[in-house]
């Protein structure tokens, strides 16, 4: 056997391509999760305007949602993401510190200048 499921995908993959790699030394602390997410945002792994889906990130990193939510709050305080109730968290477009920032318009998911 080659380790593939009946559909030709690696077993256990669920057909998803994880954006966030599990760390060699798994971290479940909010600070560790924050560092992983911040790096992914700054290096473009998650593009500007991209949605951060809690369930997918938690599964990719092998963590619970609690430290993830704390990390997302910290990223929002830093200005790297915006959380929109009932729509999720999105990476901010433009300069995160000072200068012009854009926001995501949830009904249409288009970028709107502030």
């Amino acid at each position: 056997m080659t380790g593939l499921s009946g559909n030709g995908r690696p077993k256990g993959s669920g057909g998803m391509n994880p954006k966030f790699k599990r760390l060699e030394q798994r971290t479940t602390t909010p600070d560790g999760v924050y560092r992983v997410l911040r790096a992914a945002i700054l290096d473009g792994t998650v593009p500007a305007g991209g949605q951060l889906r809690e369930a997918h990130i938690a599964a990719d990193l092998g963590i619970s949602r609690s430290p993830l939510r704390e990390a997302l709050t910290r990223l929002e305080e830093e200005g790297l993401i915006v959380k929109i109730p009932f729509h999720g968290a999105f990476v901010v477009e433009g300069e995160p510190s000072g200068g012009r920032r854009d926001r995501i318009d949830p009904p249409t998911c288009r970028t709107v200048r502030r």
Side-chain angles (χ1 to χ4, degrees):
M1 280 261 101
T2 62
L4 297 178
S5 63
N7 62 8
R9 295 184 182 130
K11 287 183 182 175
S13 72
M16 293 176 46
N17 293 326
K19 284 186 180 182
F20 304 97
K21 305 293 183 208
R22 287 183 189 248
L23 302 174
E24 292 203 10
Q25 286 188 319
R26 185 173 158 226
T27 182
T28 58
T29 65
D31 188 56
V33 176
Y34 162 81
R35 286 193 311 264
V36 170
L37 293 177
R38 187 175 192 280
I41 291 168
L42 294 177
D43 74 11
T45 300
V46 182
Q51 185 173 13
L52 297 168
R53 298 177 186 266
E54 283 185 17
H56 295 169
I57 296 168
D60 288 352
L61 295 176
I63 60 170
S64 70
R65 290 190 189 187
S66 228
L68 174 58
R69 287 181 181 136
E70 288 183 48
L72 290 173
T73 297
R74 190 168 163 194
L75 290 167
E76 183 178 39
E77 290 169 355
E78 193 174 303
L80 289 174
I81 68 167
V82 61
K83 291 194 287 187
I84 302 170
F86 308 108
H87 292 280
F90 298 85
V91 177
V92 173
E93 296 183 13
E95 295 297 318
S97 56
R100 187 198 91 242
R101 264 198 246 156
D102 301 335
R103 67 175 178 86
I104 305 298
D105 182 23
T108 59
C109 291
R110 67 174 189 253
T111 303
V112 178
R113 304 258 183 242
R114 277 202 250 181

